[in-house]
Amino acid sequence: MIVKPRDRRALTEAALGKRPCDLVIKNARIVNVFTGEIYNGNVGIYDGFIAHIQCDPDNLNISEKELQSEYSYDAKGKYLIPGFIDAHAHVESTMMTPRHLAEAVIPHGTTTMVTDPHEIANVCGTEGVRYMHENSSNLPMRQLILIPSCVPAVPGLENSGAVFLEKEVRELLDLDRVIGLAEVMDFLGVINNDERMISIIKAVEERNLFLEGHAPFLSGRELSAYLCAGPNSDHECTVSQEAREKMRSGMYIDARESSITKNVKTILDGVKNFRYFDTLTLCTDDREPEDILSVGHMNDVVRKAVSCGLHPIDAVKCSTINVAREIGAKNLGAIAPGYAADMVLTESLEELVPSAVFFGGKLVAEEGRLTAVIENMEFMLEKENTIYIDDLKVEDFKIKTPCSASDGKVKARVICYKDFNSSETDIQIEELPVKDGYVDLSNSELKYAVVINRHKGFDTKGYGIVRNFGTHFGAVGSTVSHDSHNLTIVYDNPENAFEVARSIMEGGGGISCAKDGKVLETLALPIGGLMSHKSCSLLAEDADRMKRALRTLGLTQKENPLLRIATLALPVIPKVKMSDLGMVDVLEQKILEMFVL
Amino acid sequence: MIVKPRDRRALTEAALGKRPCDLVIKNARIVNVFTGEIYNGNVGIYDGFIAHIQCDPDNLNISEKELQSEYSYDAKGKYLIPGFIDAHAHVESTMMTPRHLAEAVIPHGTTTMVTDPHEIANVCGTEGVRYMHENSSNLPMRQLILIPSCVPAVPGLENSGAVFLEKEVRELLDLDRVIGLAEVMDFLGVINNDERMISIIKAVEERNLFLEGHAPFLSGRELSAYLCAGPNSDHECTVSQEAREKMRSGMYIDARESSITKNVKTILDGVKNFRYFDTLTLCTDDREPEDILSVGHMNDVVRKAVSCGLHPIDAVKCSTINVAREIGAKNLGAIAPGYAADMVLTESLEELVPSAVFFGGKLVAEEGRLTAVIENMEFMLEKENTIYIDDLKVEDFKIKTPCSASDGKVKARVICYKDFNSSETDIQIEELPVKDGYVDLSNSELKYAVVINRHKGFDTKGYGIVRNFGTHFGAVGSTVSHDSHNLTIVYDNPENAFEVARSIMEGGGGISCAKDGKVLETLALPIGGLMSHKSCSLLAEDADRMKRALRTLGLTQKENPLLRIATLALPVIPKVKMSDLGMVDVLEQKILEMFVL
């Protein structure tokens, strides 16, 4: 049981009025997610849970002794809704620690998040998951954890910092706030009965825990096969028709509105005529600090759903009780006796700006400010430099051609981005100039790329050539490089690359760019090479500076130029990506030779 | 996990078409409980589960290789709905064994029942529950079992054949098809934190199993307290307002349509304007053999709901996936990949007469006839005579007056039924004639009543006097006598009572009536004194004969005169009832002295 009153006896007594409540929220317009009604009432809270609600929606003039409590909060007739539950999110994608993220999202009304520490797991293994678990303990919100299912994402094609098999997953399932298995993204492994996936799913299913899915574009028989294998949710739905088919198949659709990927409208366009939305939920997946500061968190996703035509009460339901049911959490996601006293007070169900946020029956934020105290804690892992790269030389960034390239030219496979915005790529064979036995791009639109394994015990480096990456000149590098988070650099010449690498390694990981042999800007992410020690607002400033620097190099994406480099080494996005082993043919699942001889 | 594919690998392969399906149901009008849609499709089944559904609801002209199978069933365009799930039922109330009940209900489309073996538990204890579990094994339907929570129903006021404390409940939770705790009817015990109830609830909650509630008329703070204690469902809702309040409080409402108690209309009247019916389900609770034969089982309840204005698709949803979610059963209650292949084919969603019933992917009934074979099995408990009463004499049925009653009269408490139909009673003090030191009702409208403990190790007898019971003359007795199932007899004179007792004891339990010193009719219920070895149709004939005999004595209730005697010793219905310890003040929870001196 994920959420459960600590002492049911005492809670029962509070309900009966035998002991005073800790707090009574008075004069609220309660949104009831069971009936879809809205009515006035007073909510009595004891030890973090709702003990009793005084209300009279049918105007029966019920006389009842008033809820007794030393403390009351006047809701002044505002709407009281259950606290938002984020159905799927990666804390690491915010570059904040769980504690700093909490600080940032609580004022927006997010009281529970279902998180997947997939990134840190790929870097630090089980210790990384344990760190996220500890770091998110004793917060004035609830960060539930799913155990990453695919570490590494694509075995055999990349080397990450850890390998999760059944044993690691079983071990982590014992942690307190762990509720299941995170996005089972190796859907090919699942439907083809790959031993790794099947044994992991079995371990989780044995405990009757939640199996989160991940099934972009899966359809027809393959979708059925995936569902037959166990996972039954998806946050990767990006097409209206896809959403329709998946909901018909009984899959939970976690409609995503991340900083980059906005699927809520498309999904609603697809399913809005359905009679039921029981299996529709909302999630943020990846939200950047600036975004959280400026537009919000789950409240922004819900607002978007409402603006796209979802009835506000349905939208509240989708972001509360529906998620609780999806993950199998009782006593969560509703304003009712016995439910966790996580609630949001708001003036408008369309605007969804919280005027107060309650978590576990305590006021934790008011008018956009966190009022709860989040204690500072120290963690061993935060002090560890996780960048295990031996001394680099400028020469390491040169790409040697094979002996046969003696005529000043060489045929090589080049990764071509569709355009400057899309992360989709194709491969094409081009003739490249050669100088002194090395590929020479000094007068080319093409750029060099390298993925340097930065995990303990590896010294692999994979090289590639990219077209349409976006930078006109200079080098950009990052240890936020999904999913193995090796140091990935795209560069115009070895000197710039070297500077970028040096700066990132000094900071214990992060993102950096250089031009003319000088570092322009570095965003240090010393925790696992993924997260910062800074708060949301400070980090947003850093990120803003970093983005501006990247834009000067030519990365002009409106959304987030930081992500351009971060997805070059994501070998699950077709058709060709990079890894520390070289260029990867994503569909064929094999490493490609760079040179065509 | 209650329902789970045996081999997910093989099921996945069947979905992909890598292995043939066991059966394909073709040309069906599929009712989708996730979206509320109805569309044409073919359903491929493998090893009891749905592997894949071929359909094209959006007319996209999807081309897909046809589902391969040696066997197919032509649905001829009829509606295909998930098999009905009965949210709450007592097998013993049908007087049939689990196997015979299965035989009777499957042709009506009930493929899963959530059963509470409360009656047999009160007689035979844990062995009784084990018997029901074994007897319901390997059936062409799924009988899930909840562990009786209140054995005896009212400790201290009656002696039943068993006592269930935490230990017994924990032991039984290990059985295969056990999914939780049955109707927690001692709601006073629950909200007052009685040790018995709290420890039992805790044991079940620890395993994250289902806590079924039972909370007639509970409202306001007491309802909140009950919910705070854990149970969150109720099948005892009989008032529209009550249903509204309970659904608002997040309680699952199992709307009951038993043979006697018909609540569906009242409940729907109360909640029909709610936006959501996620927490509304349907159940039979207690259905008699004649009823099952003549009007049906869950299909009749659903039909009733539709006739009361619930949209047919909502009604199907309430009787399928909603129940599955209530009890925490994944893969049950829908027609979707990975779900149990329990389905009903029907020509009309208003009539709901199944033309075919599939369970676990097999055709189990067609056109009202069971086509599956239910194997005969022998059980030790069925051979045991559970009536442990020492030899009775006619004198045992005389009520001795206290010495002080020397003037031919005595003041005594009399149980007065409100009328011949209601089971509600009050107490009143009346002056009774005395003859030879015994109460003499030979010229009175009043009747004697006795509850003779019939369990091993007891020889208690409780006496009472009743007014308005209904019989004009003769005696009627029964070992079906809720909840302790002691032998209860209401009689005009000791001779008739003696004959009734003798006949019942000879049959190993049952119901009997006598007049003028002769037994008129006996319905033998030799299994635990509660159930017969007979099939539904034979039992219906027996019951019909018995009812006619009872009517000749004056029990003219339209519904079921058998139940008149069965509820006299039910010490949870106000205000006064009987037990083997005497007359019981239900509200004050104490035994009443018969004579007022």
Side-chain angles (χ1 to χ4, degrees), chain A residues 38 56 64 122 154 225 231 246 294 297 337 353 569 581 589:
Chain A
I38 299 178
D56 185 13
E64 200 180 283
N122 268 284
V154 186
K246 284 177 175 168
S294 61
H297 195 243
V353 177
L581 300 176
Q589 303 245 314

Side-chain angles (χ1 to χ4, degrees), chain B residues 287-325:
Chain B
R287 280 240 159 181
E288 297 164 29
E290 310 88 297
D291 238 27
I292 296 173
L293 281 178
S294 61
V295 299
H297 195 245
M298 277 300 291
N299 60 336
D300 178 55
V301 185
V302 180
R303 186 190 300 137
K304 175 69 175 283
V306 174
S307 78
C308 292
L310 192 63
H311 190 290
I313 300 177
D314 290 345
V316 168
K317 181 167 180 275
C318 288
S319 56
T320 56
I321 190 83
N322 283 10
V323 191
R325 287 175 180 156

Side-chain angles (χ1 to χ4, degrees), chain A residues 120 123-124 381 383-389 454-456 479 485 508-509 525-530:
Chain A
I120 191 89
V123 175
C124 304
L381 188 136
K383 291 169 189 158
E384 188 187 333
N385 186 330
T386 63
I387 313 296
Y388 295 93
I389 300 178
R454 55 101 160 186
H455 301 297
K456 214 184 267 181
T479 54
H485 302 293
L525 299 171
I527 307 175
L530 299 167

Side-chain angles (χ1 to χ4, degrees), chain A residues 300-369:
Chain A
D300 178 56
V301 185
V302 179
R303 186 191 300 137
K304 175 67 175 284
V306 174
S307 77
C308 293
L310 192 63
H311 190 289
I313 300 177
D314 290 345
V316 168
K317 180 167 180 274
C318 287
S319 56
T320 57
I321 190 83
N322 282 11
V323 191
R325 287 175 180 155
E326 175 183 18
I327 62 175
K330 294 172 184 170
N331 312 307
L332 191 66
I335 301 177
Y339 277 71
D342 307 344
M343 289 169 279
V344 173
L345 203 62
T346 182
E347 196 111 31
S348 150
L349 293 182
E350 282 80 29
E351 298 301 321
L352 292 159
V353 177
S355 60
V357 181
F358 300 89
F359 173 73
K362 291 196 171 66
L363 181 73
V364 291
E366 215 172 8
E367 307 300 347
R369 282 177 309 102

